[in-house]
Amino acid sequence: MPELLHTLPVTRIVTTAAALDGASVPEDALVLRTAPDEALVIHAEAADPDAITIDDAHAIVVADAGWSGGWIPTAAADTFLDGNCSWARPIDRPAFAQGMVAHLPVKLWFEAERTLFVVPHVSAHELTHRLREGGIA
Amino acid sequence: MNEFWEAKVALQWGTLKPSYDVVIIGGGGHGLATAYNLALRHGITNVAVLERSYIGGGNSGRNTTVIRSNYGKPEPVRFYQRSLELYRDLEAETERWMMHDERGLWWITHTEAGRRTEIARAEINRAFGADTRFAEPEEIEREIPGINMNPAGEFPVLGGSFHAGGATARHDRVVWALAEGAMRAGVDIIQGVEVTGLKVENNQIVGVETTQGSIATETVVSAVGGHATSVADMAGVRLPIRTHPLQAFVTNHYEGTFDAIVASIDLGFYVSQTARGEMLGGAHIDPQPSYSRRSDHHFISSIAKRITALFPFMGDLRVLRQWTGSCDMSPDYSPVMGRTPVDGFLITTGWGTWGFKAIPAGGEAMAELVATGTTPELIAPFSLDRFAKDRALADRGSSGTH
Amino acid sequence: MGGGARKVAPDPTSTNRCRTLGAVSDDTFDFAGRDITFAPGDSALLALTRHGIHPAGGGPLCFAGDCPNCLCTVDGISYVRACQTPAEVGVRIEPHPTNGEPPLPAWDTEAKTVAAIHRRADVVVIGGGESGQAARQQAADAGRIVELLDTNDGAEAIAVYPGPIVVARTADGMVNIECDDIVVATGAAEIQPIVPGSRLAGLWTPRAAAHVQAAGIDLGLTVAVGDVSDDAAATVVAPGELVRFEGEERLAAVITMVDGAEVRTEADNAIVGLGIHPRTGLARMANFMDVEVVGDAALEPTVPTCPSSGIACPCSNVTVEQLDDIYERGFTHMELLKRGTLAGTGTCQGSVCTPYLRSFLQDRGQELQPAFTFRPMAKQLTMNEIAAGSHLPALARTSLDSVHRDLGAQMDRMGGWWRPWTYGDTDAEYAAVRERVSLGDVSTLGKMILTGPDAEASLQRLFPTDVSTIKPGRSRYVLMLNERGYVMDDGMIAREHDGTFFLTFTSGGASMAEMWIRDWSASWGHDIRILNQTMSLGAINVTGPLAKELLERATDDDLPPFLGHCNITVAGVPCKVLRVSFTGELSFELHHPVDRSVELWTALMDLGADLGIQPHAIEALFRLRLEKGHIIVGIDTDYDSTPRRLQHEWAVNMKKGDFIGRTAIERTNRLALDKRLVGFRTEGRAPFEGAVVWSGSDYAGWVTSAAFSPTIGAGVALGWLEAVDGEFPASVTIDGLDAEIVSPHFYDPEGARPRA
Ligand SMILES: Cc1cc2nc3c(=O)[nH]c(=O)nc-3n(C[C@H](O)[C@H](O)[C@H](O)COP(=O)(O)OP(=O)(O)OC[C@H]3O[C@@H](n4cnc5c(N)ncnc54)[C@H](O)[C@@H]3O)c2cc1C
């Protein structure tokens, strides 16, 4: 069976909300704003903190190998979430949401055709198991 | 089964008088046991118990009725062991059947650290008179029917302690028997009266305000499980207590063949079959302080998952009802009994999730304190001033759920 | 189909005396060992009725899920209503025992997984009758997303929880609907008779009678009593007030009272119309919000006449005489009446008895009582159904988890993580650390970056050490105290050359520590940035006298001095190396990106092969640190462990400014010391962990950690020594051994080895 989740090339940012508003990141990176003053930048290739500019001398901008993720086609993702996510998901696409999914802390990035599931590396084994239990191959 | 017929409890309600020697606030187990002991052991009968709703309507009528003394420190082991022993005689003394059943309690652990804790528990229990021993997995598998020795392949049963003194009793019957005994001896127990204020003059209690008027008294015992801080506040006393919801559930009635009382420390639940055949279960307090008595979905679905992991056969039991009580939690998970900085204002609180078992000994000691003016040695370690004196009695691991 | 089972022909003498079987097919289900034929669409109860079988032997039937009179055990699950069980081929139904309770499921019954579906709606309408349909239409017209739940459509609403969440059972599993508004259109239940004789077979509510008649079942000589609608066809009408039913096992006659005289009406069956009682259970359960109650559910309930005898509560078998008796004994409060008799606490949730209890109390001069508090659940679910969608608590796995498992480690649950307890030979693991070199997985340590303009100011107030004196490139052991001056956690603070800080905490302590730092800093108005890297960085402890030798093979960079740290590359992996020692040996903690852990571990194991490298697990680690007297927060500490009690006052600097716990420490330091954590030494063997410390016959504490130390050649232990009558005892016995009270630093007390 193919691995469902892989280590994501992430740069983690901790700064102020204002600085994050004005931050610039590579065009092809996906930014998940996990808090007003925090973001996960998922790079297209390798994690690259230097490619991010931010107007905050104290910002923490570090490569972070601690995130696992995988893209799941919309239909399968929705079926799984119907059974494992007790909170209301956003309707717009694309959209970001985070919370407990299958009792694990999961971040979700919804696109029209597919959904990205992101978990801390330490929960990747468990999420993989629960995704498979939920019928995702 | 109709439980009334076997024990003809008769309650004679009092009417409120303008003054009493002692006013007890709260008609739960602790208030009633204090009144009972004042009247029967000390002959003090000019006593009122004021209950704002109906007796036993607080936690004393909504707990999971586990009686045990397998605590982790000398002082609580001694205290709860006294209570456990008093429970043994309570039916004979009151001539009322309470469905008291001493069948032993298993605390199962699924970790190495848990093994050490249970070995330690058995040791300290034996040292202070409680009957507890460590049990290896083989014995647990042999003795507890239907147990899955390795739930989900992730919770191997690594041992546990067996507390032979562990028992259950029907909570309402305990409440009624104590109320009846106190009433017969002349105590006025009044339902539907809420205490709304306390009168203090020169740091001495002088009276109680209620929804039915004022009462003069120089001794007030607050036994208002779930509301300790608000009532103490009426006397200007601040308590280090927070109130958290605690939920529980029962299934329908089944033939009584599951004889064990079992708690899994790591799965975080306990379960027993009542004398009436219901499977009765509970877990930890809700983490957020609240006075809410609403039951929620997360609790019931999560506890059902955990229970059926250890006892798959229970998956086919149908749940009848779930409910919630309000638990006054002290910072060190031990009760708070005795005097306060205000003369004549005594408290028995901090009963958290563990106060049902303590009703006989708590009532005995509080009555002795009221009657003699001296704090009994058994409860001296539990006084409110222990926090100021830095003499906390932390026993979280022993008090957690029931 | 059981080989010996026989098909049942309609029995003309059977309990219902029904004359026609109705159109049935050849399909059967099993009832108490008999094959029961049924018509498509039948409920099990309807099919049984066709065969003249009353599953409970007797009692009025409602066919609406309200009463407890058709309870059965269906496929091993008890307390299931036959009227709500579809008749299906192969179903096995046992009657509910008339005497006693059904047995528990067999001990070896396996748990079954039930699916759960979460949905969201603007409005949930419960009940699909006329008023429910109207409510649905109205909401839909207003552009709202509506879910309608109706038992007859296979979606039975079970409970309403705060959220609000409506939980329903469907054929596909459990459905949990989060919504904004709820409309309760659950209709009304029919009041059942409780007069004497009400436990006979042959009694039907009007709707039940209409239902079975519509299915083609002829009820024979049928008597209508009370208010019976036109839908149910009766042969005769019994005049006047209902008094009792007569018959043996099944109905023979209805007795009514007309002008003070009893009238007897012969009957095969009776249709009893006593009015209705709205089904408000779900609405009452949702009393935390405004629910709209529509249709019959909103009607005023009929208050029936409570007879002076009869079984008022069929679930708990409570008679009116018993209610009377207990009422006379002072159980006058509705709740006490209920608790004293258990009336209203059974499977039907008071549906049958509540109307009568209210009229019973009203007859005795009380105001008409509201119905009981209604708690979940309205209809019952199995624990398997309730557990649907729930998971067991998951543990975190370090990036070396598979390495440990491949090595055959016994994994243990600890502080929220899976950790290797032993690789199988703890003595050998221990020896590898003391004598050679070893690796340990310490990825579970809490790890944090703290920076920002006020980072140092925050640390100064958070911790009892003088943070200003930690130089760049250096680190220091710290205690984390709460406001009571009690130790909550311990860890290391390392200052980087760029002024940021790297903090470590104990395993499992990371989230608490992060919250603690965030909350306090925010309350002080401090401008900080904090990043919890616990899950992002793996950590390997390289420890043992040959640790330096091993690392020098893996890096060209300089290794840090004792209590120093640096960022270097080890075996090609970028590492933050902290030189701290928990084992008592020369040790380096290599913090590194989690995706490189296996690579780093493997490289070090390879490089150390000729040095006799061997990994050590937790059990060995606990012994190693015990010999050093290093405490483990949560094992050797208690709720009220002050630095003084722990003999860790060296970690508290009272000369610096304010810090959390300072006031408490100043105050408690003036009190007599009552207990302290000490070392115990025993000859021959170690006491067991948890053993009580005795001073003569007085309790004097307990052992928190103990092991036999091959290096010391004695039992070594940490434990609490308590003052007895204000004095600390000088000699104690533990676990039958004479124990010497000693410094806890058994091994290398001068600390030369980690500094080597
Ligand atoms: C779900 C649950 C399970 C539990 N399981 C166990 C267990 O297994 N074993 C165990 O030992 N303990 C258990 N407990 C704890 C135990 O129930 C309580 O500690 C114990 O009942 C407390 O008794 P009490 O008399 O102090 O308080 P309560 O029984 O709560 O009585 C206090 C009374 O004071 C009244 N009152 C409040 N304010 C006022 C006022 N202003 N004026 C007048 N009256 C007032 C209330 O109405 C109430 O009746 C459990 C608790 C819950 C909620």
Side-chain angles (χ1 to χ4, degrees):
Chain A
M1 249 186 283
E3 294 276 314
L4 287 174
L5 306 174
H6 302 271
T7 300
L8 296 170
V10 166
T11 298
R12 191 86 174 272
I13 305 177
V14 179
T15 176
T16 63
L20 194 51
D21 285 340
S24 92
V25 299
E27 283 279 307
D28 55 358
L30 174 62
V31 181
L32 305 184
R33 192 150 178 177
T34 51
D37 51 2
E38 286 192 24
L40 284 185
V41 178
I42 304 174
H43 298 267
E45 304 274 322
D48 187 5
D50 295 339
I52 293 166
T53 50
I54 219 164
D55 185 17
D56 171 15
H58 300 282
I60 301 174
V61 183
V62 289
D64 187 342
W67 299 94
S68 297
W71 290 98
I72 294 173
T74 294
D78 281 352
T79 308
F80 180 79
L81 292 171
D82 283 347
N84 288 283
C85 172
S86 63
W87 38 274
R89 281 121 59 192
I91 296 160
D92 296 340
R93 295 289 177 270
F96 172 68
Q98 55 188 344
M100 294 304 270
V101 172
H103 289 222
L104 296 168
V106 175
K107 303 183 193 303
L108 297 165
W109 175 253
F110 297 95
E111 292 182 358
E113 305 293 320
R114 54 182 196 162
T115 303
L116 178 65
F117 285 64
V118 181
V119 271
H121 170 86
V122 299
S123 301
H125 177 92
E126 209 52 59
L127 181 63
T128 303
H129 180 66
R130 289 174 190 192
L131 284 168
R132 292 211 200 281
E133 260 182 1
I136 292 177
Chain B
M1 194 200 299
N2 179 325
E3 66 177 46
F4 167 64
W5 291 105
E6 300 87 5
K8 300 270 188 184
V9 180
L11 305 173
Q12 299 136 15
W13 302 102
T15 42
L16 207 55
K17 292 188 298 202
S19 81
Y20 287 96
D21 292 342
V22 183
V23 171
I24 296 170
I25 315 174
H30 282 278
L32 294 168
T34 303
Y36 176 93
N37 280 285
L38 275 175
L40 276 86
R41 303 262 189 285
H42 303 283
I44 299 175
T45 58
N46 187 21
V47 176
V49 179
L50 309 181
E51 168 53 51
R52 66 172 181 182
S53 175
Y54 61 95
I55 58 169
N59 287 347
S60 295
R62 58 180 78 218
N63 62 75
T64 47
T65 78
V66 176
I67 298 164
R68 59 181 178 86
S69 59
N70 59 339
Y71 280 69
K73 294 252 153 106
E75 298 86 347
V77 174
R78 254 194 234 118
F79 172 76
Y80 290 109
Q81 180 62 22
R82 170 73 187 160
S83 209
L84 189 146
E85 285 163 15
L86 288 173
Y87 257 121
R88 283 183 185 144
D89 298 336
L90 201 56
E91 291 182 330
E93 183 181 318
T94 58
E95 297 180 354
R96 294 291 172 254
W97 184 41
M98 296 167 185
M99 301 176 160
H100 180 259
D101 183 10
E102 196 164 313
R103 49 189 153 147
L105 167 70
W106 298 88
W107 275 20
I108 309 284
T109 179
H110 309 264
T111 67
E112 290 292 340
R115 270 182 69 94
R116 299 155 40 120
T117 306
E118 294 319 298
I119 290 169
R121 178 182 317 289
E123 161 84 349
I124 190 101
N125 282 197
R126 277 197 306 272
F128 291 93
D131 186 355
T132 309
R133 62 184 167 73
F134 185 77
E136 293 292 347
E138 298 71 39
E139 184 185 354
I140 289 171
E141 183 164 25
R142 208 171 51 239
E143 295 295 327
I144 304 180
I147 192 167
N148 173 2
M149 293 299 287
N150 193 359
E154 297 201 341
F155 290 86
V157 173
L158 295 185
S161 61
F162 178 68
H163 177 46
T168 53
R170 173 81 184 150
H171 50 28
D172 280 335
R173 287 176 171 240
V174 172
V175 166
W176 301 332
L178 292 170
E180 182 190 38
M183 285 168 165
R184 284 208 179 142
V187 171
D188 285 346
I189 301 181
I190 303 132
Q191 297 189 129
V193 190
E194 179 166 355
V195 170
T196 52
L198 295 171
K199 270 191 283 191
V200 179
E201 281 170 15
N202 302 323
N203 203 46
Q204 161 70 46
I205 280 278
V206 294
V208 176
E209 302 287 350
T210 79
T211 45
Q212 293 182 18
S214 311
I215 304 166
T217 185
E218 297 206 336
T219 305
V220 168
V221 178
S222 168
V224 290
H227 297 85
T229 45
S230 41
V231 170
D233 194 46
M234 294 173 190
V237 173
R238 287 195 61 189
L239 300 179
I241 298 271
R242 278 187 201 179
T243 305
H244 290 254
L246 178 69
Q247 309 194 40
F249 77 94
V250 281
T251 67
N252 271 301
H253 306 65
Y254 299 86
E255 232 173 75
T257 49
F258 184 78
D259 201 31
I261 312 170
V262 183
S264 160
I265 297 159
D266 310 279
L267 284 163
F269 74 81
Y270 60 100
V271 69
S272 67
Q273 191 173 17
T274 69
R276 296 163 45 215
E278 306 142 307
M279 207 61 81
L280 172 62
H284 290 277
I285 53 169
D286 293 0
Q288 295 302 328
S290 163
Y291 288 109
S292 167
R293 279 201 194 163
R294 261 161 225 146
S295 301
D296 70 30
H297 186 228
H298 173 75
F299 162 77
I300 193 76
S301 73
S302 137
I303 193 174
K305 181 74 189 177
R306 290 176 278 136
I307 290 184
T308 54
L310 193 63
F311 293 109
F313 79 90
M314 292 193 193
D316 277 349
L317 302 183
R318 280 191 138 195
V319 170
L320 186 57
R321 186 166 40 245
Q322 57 180 121
W323 67 91
T324 304
S326 307
C327 295
D328 279 339
M329 306 296 291
S330 58
D332 60 358
Y333 284 66
S334 283
V336 183
M337 280 181 276
R339 297 177 197 285
T340 68
V342 172
D343 293 336
F345 183 58
L346 311 175
I347 53 173
T348 174
T349 180
W351 288 117
T353 66
W354 51 83
F356 174 71
K357 66 181 69 65
I359 286 171
E364 178 186 61
M366 287 304 290
E368 187 180 329
L369 168 57
V370 171
T372 64
T374 311
T375 305
E377 211 180 307
L378 196 64
I379 66 162
F382 300 103
S383 65
L384 175 60
D385 65 5
R386 73 175 181 270
F387 299 104
K389 287 185 180 155
D390 194 27
R391 293 293 181 267
L393 269 176
D395 202 9
R396 177 167 193 163
S398 311
S399 310
T401 57
H402 54 286
Chain C
M1 217 179 295
R6 65 191 171 91
K7 288 220 172 116
V8 186
D11 173 1
T13 63
S14 71
T15 51
N16 291 329
R17 301 229 173 110
C18 56
R19 308 291 156 131
T20 335
L21 185 59
V24 299
S25 72
D26 278 348
D27 292 338
T28 63
F29 64 84
D30 181 296
F31 178 78
R34 299 161 69 180
D35 282 344
I36 305 292
T37 53
F38 58 91
D42 276 4
S43 66
L45 182 60
L46 190 57
L48 290 169
T49 303
R50 293 185 192 282
H51 293 271
I53 298 169
H54 187 309
L61 292 172
C62 73
F63 275 81
D66 292 313
C67 76
N69 295 333
C70 70
L71 291 182
C72 289
T73 297
V74 178
D75 288 336
I77 297 173
S78 300
Y79 293 95
V80 178
R81 289 182 172 88
C83 73
Q84 309 220 296
T85 305
E88 277 167 12
V89 177
V91 172
R92 293 172 46 106
I93 303 183
E94 291 291 328
H96 197 76
T98 41
N99 216 339
E101 317 292 357
L104 288 169
W107 300 134
D108 60 0
T109 308
E110 288 181 8
K112 302 157 195 81
T113 305
V114 177
I117 301 162
H118 302 280
R119 284 208 290 262
R120 169 61 252 151
D122 296 329
V123 187
V124 173
V125 177
I126 305 172
E130 236 171 83
S131 57
Q133 296 292 356
R136 174 194 12 213
Q137 194 56 50
Q138 202 183 345
D141 290 347
R144 310 190 75 195
I145 301 170
V146 197
E147 282 259 9
L148 188 137
L149 303 171
D150 191 284
T151 315
N152 296 325
D153 302 335
E156 184 178 27
I158 303 291
V160 179
Y161 290 102
I165 298 169
V166 180
V167 174
R169 170 177 35 215
T170 72
D172 302 330
M174 300 303 303
V175 179
N176 307 321
I177 310 166
E178 196 187 323
C179 59
D180 297 329
D181 293 313
I182 295 172
V183 180
V184 173
T186 40
E190 296 170 279
I191 293 175
Q192 294 209 341
I194 64 164
V195 295
S198 295
R199 304 312 298 165
L200 294 170
L203 305 178
W204 313 82
T205 65
R207 289 184 209 151
H211 182 71
V212 300
Q213 288 171 340
I217 299 171
D218 178 355
L219 291 176
L221 177 57
T222 309
V223 176
V225 199
D227 187 8
V228 175
S229 76
D230 300 338
D231 299 342
T235 331
V236 278
V237 174
E241 284 272 309
L242 176 64
V243 177
R244 66 181 176 277
F245 301 106
E246 287 185 356
E248 292 201 7
E249 298 203 356
R250 58 161 299 107
L251 183 69
V254 177
I255 312 298
T256 49
M257 185 72 80
V258 181
D259 297 333
E262 286 189 358
V263 175
R264 179 183 164 90
T265 312
E266 303 266 325
D268 290 337
N269 284 286
I271 308 174
V272 191
L274 298 177
I276 55 170
H277 203 259
R279 296 190 191 104
T280 53
L282 288 166
R284 281 185 278 142
M285 205 183 286
N287 63 0
F288 50 86
M289 63 183 288
D290 284 333
V291 286
E292 198 182 334
V293 185
V294 299
D296 282 2
L299 291 177
E300 272 304 305
T302 312
V303 182
T305 313
C306 185
S308 56
S309 62
I311 294 175
C313 168
C315 295
S316 304
N317 205 17
V318 181
T319 64
V320 181
E321 290 91 331
Q322 289 171 333
L323 290 176
D324 230 345
D325 185 299
I326 200 167
Y327 186 88
E328 291 306 316
R329 292 171 188 279
F331 286 62
T332 48
H333 192 287
M334 174 102 152
E335 276 290 338
L336 290 183
L337 193 66
K338 172 179 103 175
R339 288 164 172 264
T341 60
L342 300 180
T345 64
T347 315
C348 86
Q349 307 282 22
S351 177
V352 172
C353 69
T354 304
Y356 290 106
L357 292 179
R358 298 175 78 213
S359 74
F360 175 90
L361 289 176
Q362 197 180 30
D363 290 346
R364 281 154 189 77
Q366 290 194 15
E367 271 172 43
L368 192 57
Q369 296 286 312
F372 311 124
T373 316
F374 208 90
R375 305 198 180 103
M377 334 187 137
K379 292 289 160 58
Q380 290 139 41
L381 298 177
T382 64
M383 293 241 242
N384 284 330
E385 287 169 327
I386 294 169
S390 211
H391 293 273
L392 292 176
L395 292 191
R397 293 181 185 227
T398 75
S399 41
L400 292 165
D401 189 79
S402 57
V403 171
H404 306 313
R405 289 174 199 261
D406 289 348
L407 286 168
Q410 177 199 327
M411 301 301 285
D412 191 34
R413 316 170 61 85
M414 201 180 283
W417 295 84
W418 282 116
R419 305 197 70 183
W421 176 250
T422 171
Y423 296 106
D425 189 348
T426 297
D427 291 343
E429 295 165 32
Y430 165 92
V433 177
R434 281 282 177 263
E435 291 160 18
R436 303 185 304 275
V437 61
S438 175
L439 302 185
D441 179 4
V442 291
S443 301
T444 56
L445 288 172
K447 307 175 235 23
M448 255 160 260
I449 296 176
L450 181 73
T451 179
D454 300 324
E456 183 174 326
S458 272
L459 291 174
Q460 276 293 29
R461 286 187 70 173
L462 282 160
F463 296 100
T465 195
D466 186 354
V467 178
S468 69
T469 60
I470 303 173
K471 297 199 178 64
R474 305 292 300 174
S475 64
R476 187 177 299 158
Y477 174 84
V478 288
L479 296 173
M480 191 159 95
L481 306 177
N482 64 19
E483 305 93 312
R484 297 187 170 98
Y486 301 157
V487 172
M488 300 163 73
D489 203 354
D490 63 358
M492 301 293 297
I493 297 181
R495 191 198 292 264
E496 306 281 355
H497 287 279
D498 64 4
T500 65
F501 292 90
F502 182 72
L503 317 177
T504 66
F505 297 95
T506 56
S507 304
S511 330
M512 195 266 293
E514 182 189 348
M515 220 107 86
W516 189 251
I517 297 171
R518 281 184 188 278
D519 283 359
W520 279 110
S521 300
S523 77
W524 297 321
H526 283 170
D527 184 8
I528 61 158
R529 317 274 182 276
I530 182 166
L531 175 61
N532 187 343
Q533 292 190 299
T534 306
M535 317 246 178
S536 303
L537 297 181
I540 295 171
N541 186 25
V542 183
T543 180
L546 306 181
K548 200 181 260 171
E549 189 174 340
L550 170 62
L551 285 175
E552 277 164 359
R553 295 177 182 187
T555 183
D556 296 333
D557 297 325
D558 286 341
L559 293 167
F562 185 62
L563 290 182
H565 60 95
C566 60
N567 297 309
I568 58 175
T569 303
V570 180
V573 176
C575 292
K576 160 168 288 303
V577 180
L578 262 71
R579 184 165 162 192
V580 289
S581 175
F582 194 50
T583 61
E585 300 298 337
L586 179 59
S587 304
F588 300 86
E589 263 174 32
L590 312 186
H591 297 256
H592 58 275
V594 281
D595 59 338
R596 311 290 297 274
S597 298
V598 177
E599 177 189 341
L600 180 60
W601 176 281
T602 311
L604 291 170
M605 288 299 288
D606 288 349
L607 288 170
D610 63 311
L611 302 177
I613 193 168
Q614 181 174 358
H616 64 278
I618 302 297
E619 189 179 28
L621 180 66
F622 278 12
R623 285 192 203 164
L624 291 157
R625 66 86 207 183
L626 170 61
E627 291 173 346
K628 267 305 281 183
H630 287 317
I631 60 166
I632 296 180
V633 174
I635 291 181
D636 303 301
T637 65
D638 213 335
Y639 162 85
D640 59 354
S641 298
T642 56
R644 183 166 67 135
R645 286 180 172 134
L646 290 172
Q647 306 208 62
H648 271 53
E649 284 179 289
W650 53 268
V652 178
N653 185 337
M654 296 300 279
K655 294 195 196 84
K656 65 176 258 191
D658 197 15
F659 57 89
I660 296 170
R662 181 184 180 112
T663 320
I665 287 178
E666 283 171 353
R667 192 174 60 76
T668 56
N669 275 354
R670 291 195 291 269
L671 302 168
L673 186 61
D674 58 337
K675 57 185 170 189
R676 55 195 165 95
L677 192 74
V678 300
F680 296 109
R681 184 189 159 110
T682 54
E683 295 310 320
R685 65 177 170 91
F688 66 91
E689 294 177 327
V692 167
V693 176
W694 296 104
S695 162
S697 59
D698 290 320
Y699 174 86
W702 59 287
V703 170
T704 58
S705 301
F708 185 79
S709 165
T711 313
I712 308 294
V716 298
L718 277 174
W720 288 102
L721 184 67
E722 297 199 0
V724 177
D725 298 328
E727 303 260 344
F728 284 103
S731 66
V732 293
T733 55
I734 309 174
D735 186 19
L737 299 165
D738 288 328
E740 202 185 332
I741 299 160
V742 294
S743 151
H745 308 295
F746 299 94
Y747 179 71
D748 183 26
E750 352 22 83
R753 296 180 70 90
R755 289 181 173 82

